[in-house]
Amino acid sequence: MRVAIIGTGYVGLTTGVCLAFIGHDVYCLDSDKSKIEALRNGRVPIFEPFLAELLEEARSNLTFTTCYEEAIPGAEVVFIAVGTPPTPSGAPNLEFLSQAARSIGQHMNSHLTVVVNKSTVPIGSGNWVDSLLRDAIDSRQNGGEHTGFAVASNPEFLREGSALHDSLYPDRIVIGADEPRALEVLYTLYRPILDQTFSAPTYLPRPETVGAVPLLSTDLASAELIKYAANAFLALKISFINEIGLVAERVGADISEVGRGIGLDSRIGPRFLSAGIGWGGSCFGKDTAALIATAGEYGLHLPIVEAARKINSRQRDRVVEKLLHELKILKGRTIGLLGLAFKPNTDDLREAPAIEIAQKLIDRGVRVKAHDPVAIDRFEREHKGMGVLLCGSACEVAEGCDALVLITEWSEYRDLEWEEIAKKMRCPIILDGRHALDAEKLSRAGLRMLSIS
Ligand code: UDX
């Protein structure tokens, strides 16, 4: 099928490359010329494992362009995957979405183009995009009289760092549309993934447990709400374990064991129960704020979601409190952060706990040093003015530090030369913000380990 994707961020690019890989003819459009130029040359502008490899394999089915005139005419499906960054009120900024909808409306020419919201958009955006498309068609010189379209919502559940795995082997695909024709088109588009009939890339083998992928087709509003509810639920699962962590700390329980113990109950499930400094990233913060804002428009309060946000923010304060308790005076101290990215296997720094924690420490007169295996360059570009001293290795960070804090559980941090690190530090203290380190190993190396539980 002929497909156009508007926006080449994490979601747009991953979706485009995966659809091209399973055999569709995909046009990826972005207004950023340098990004499109890089993609044409096979360079992927984000850090995402195997994305460059899959792009190379799917190259013959991919066109990268900045022109709506090139991407839209003839497309059977158009995905809108543009950014919807948060505004101060918590409601997302829909400027890019409305620009994209208008431009699509100006150029689509098929009898039926299915326009799909893939960006996380407020409930009701499907109807709004529908009206923008209709206005754009009506304003065309030729009147667009043979042009037909249907709007659908197809929320994305991919996680950064495992975006391709999540797209090729999803737990489910959700499609919302009020018109059955749109559902049929999207069913055909996703069929190779639903039936798992494509040959898996060697570097992303199909997990043995993956069979046919469930397809849930709903009305527009339900699909839109599913996305927000899923992210809010995952966020509150993390905040729940962090709240229990507070009790665990007081009563002397091990929160990792408590998480394992409750997660083995199949009604609860083991994932998203890792306690620590809490969630970051572009979705949980933004989507919980947007859900609260939407509910507010209907005069509703969402105390559970609000509490999840408060608990998450408190976890960052607890890092500072723990260090203060341990070191007594923070002013003039040097503290090293291991990890800057909001989670391993990405260089994304949006709402990264490292940034918030570094700022809180700097505000208290601390000299902050940091290392990250992949996010250093991005940090330098995006947060240059913060005054964090960036280092080329974890050992370099440790030099002269009064404490280290593990912020991102990159696998390489689990097996560092801890003896060497301990020797380089002024006080051999490490705060494990992710319950990722081996306490015995650290203790043998002469480090005193603290944790956020
Ligand atoms: C999330 C959703 O998982 C995905 O479905 C949605 O489409 C986008 O938002 P992502 O933000 O990429 O994906 O990462 P995710 O793996 O969900 O982690 C989010 C944050 O929660 C990270 O900062 C991670 O460190 C933290 N986290 C995750 C925990 O603190 N504890 C956990 O148990 C799991």
Side-chain angles (χ1 to χ4, degrees):
M1 289 174 87
R2 172 79 192 273
V3 180
I5 316 245
I6 316 302
T8 57
Y10 274 99
V11 170
L13 189 56
T14 305
T15 305
V17 169
C18 288
L19 290 175
F21 176 74
I22 61 171
H24 298 298
D25 179 17
V26 180
Y27 283 64
C28 291
L29 180 146
D30 202 292
S31 54
D32 183 337
K33 289 199 175 82
S34 59
K35 222 177 188 186
I36 291 298
E37 202 45 49
L39 287 164
R40 279 181 184 147
N41 293 318
R43 287 198 312 276
V44 173
I46 49 177
F47 179 90
E48 182 59 44
F50 306 120
L51 189 51
E53 287 86 340
L54 202 70
L55 186 147
E56 194 49 46
E57 277 199 57
R59 224 182 155 75
S60 58
N61 288 342
L62 279 165
T63 305
F64 295 102
T65 180
T66 53
C67 291
Y68 278 87
E69 295 89 317
E70 190 183 358
I72 304 300
E76 291 157 85
V77 182
V78 180
F79 284 98
I80 305 181
V82 295
T84 51
T87 60
S89 74
N93 176 349
L94 301 178
E95 188 49 38
F96 301 122
L97 180 73
S98 74
Q99 275 168 17
R102 286 196 191 94
S103 306
I104 295 164
Q106 277 155 18
H107 294 100
M108 62 191 184
N109 64 356
S110 305
H111 289 295
L112 177 67
T113 305
V114 179
V115 180
V116 189
N117 264 335
K118 194 94 178 151
S119 308
T120 303
V121 290
I123 298 147
S125 297
N127 300 9
W128 183 59
V129 165
D130 192 298
S131 69
L132 292 173
L133 290 168
R134 203 165 295 286
D135 288 350
I137 293 171
D138 290 347
S139 68
R140 273 156 49 167
Q141 303 253 302
N142 64 8
E145 63 267 24
H146 300 301
T147 305
F149 72 91
V151 173
S153 162
N154 172 217
E156 185 50 69
F157 303 106
L158 61 82
R159 291 160 302 168
E160 291 179 20
S162 51
L164 298 177
H165 177 277
D166 293 352
S167 301
L168 293 173
Y169 312 116
D171 287 346
R172 78 303 205 185
I173 291 179
V174 175
I175 297 172
D178 295 333
E179 276 205 44
R181 290 184 307 164
L183 296 173
E184 274 162 35
V185 170
L186 291 176
Y187 174 68
T188 310
L189 180 84
Y190 280 123
R191 192 117 194 235
I193 292 178
L194 292 167
D195 297 346
Q196 289 290 303
T197 48
F198 63 90
S199 13
T202 47
Y203 41 86
L204 280 166
R206 179 173 290 115
E208 274 172 21
T209 46
V210 172
V213 172
L215 171 73
L216 182 67
S217 46
T218 68
D219 57 275
L220 264 174
S222 301
E224 289 167 349
L225 184 53
I226 284 170
K227 170 69 193 211
Y228 282 108
N231 272 354
F233 189 77
L234 292 170
L236 70 90
K237 217 174 161 190
I238 299 169
S239 283
F240 175 79
I241 199 70
N242 283 333
E243 184 162 79
I244 297 296
L246 274 178
V247 184
E249 192 169 271
R250 292 296 168 87
V251 302
D254 177 341
I255 192 62
S256 300
E257 292 297 309
V258 175
R260 256 193 293 280
I262 62 174
L264 283 167
D265 184 326
S266 59
R267 293 168 301 174
I268 296 173
R271 294 159 79 190
F272 284 73
L273 285 177
S274 299
I277 55 181
W279 80 69
S282 66
C283 289
F284 288 172
K286 180 172 76 107
D287 293 353
T288 48
L291 185 57
I292 289 168
T294 301
E297 287 170 21
Y298 294 85
L300 297 170
H301 292 289
L302 303 183
I304 295 180
V305 184
E306 279 163 15
R309 287 172 59 81
K310 275 198 200 116
I311 289 165
N312 198 54
S313 148
R314 191 185 59 196
Q315 293 306 96
R316 321 293 208 236
D317 291 328
R318 293 186 65 214
V319 171
V320 180
E321 284 159 19
K322 286 247 163 182
L323 291 169
L324 188 62
H325 185 257
E326 194 66 22
L327 299 169
K328 311 298 178 207
I329 289 174
L330 287 180
K331 223 179 263 318
R333 299 279 191 182
T334 301
I335 291 181
L337 308 184
L338 297 181
L340 290 166
F342 83 95
K343 68 175 200 176
N345 298 320
T346 178
D347 64 348
D348 198 336
L349 294 167
R350 285 175 289 177
E351 298 205 24
I355 293 163
E356 217 178 314
I357 291 167
Q359 193 57 59
K360 284 180 194 288
L361 292 170
I362 289 168
D363 291 346
R364 284 177 173 261
V366 172
R367 184 167 168 262
V368 177
K369 300 171 80 179
H371 170 261
D372 189 282
V374 303
I376 293 268
D377 291 347
R378 185 178 280 262
F379 189 89
E380 206 149 32
R381 282 197 307 275
E382 296 176 2
H383 301 277
K384 208 183 168 93
M386 273 184 79
V388 173
L389 180 67
L390 299 172
C391 301
S393 68
C395 254
E396 208 184 302
V397 173
E399 189 85 57
C401 271
D402 293 290
L404 287 175
V405 184
L406 178 86
I407 302 270
T408 318
E409 68 279 31
W410 285 96
S411 60
E412 67 178 73
Y413 291 153
R414 291 176 207 262
D415 293 308
L416 292 171
E417 297 294 332
W418 294 113
E419 279 88 3
E420 202 185 321
I421 286 188
K423 278 188 212 132
K424 286 183 185 290
M425 295 179 71
R426 200 176 302 147
C427 312
I429 295 172
I430 180 156
L431 172 54
D432 179 1
R434 296 290 185 184
H435 291 274
L437 302 175
D438 181 338
E440 271 180 37
K441 207 195 259 180
L442 265 68
S443 158
R444 277 200 303 274
L447 280 150
R448 174 167 154 66
M449 195 182 97
L450 316 169
S451 59
I452 291 283
S453 53

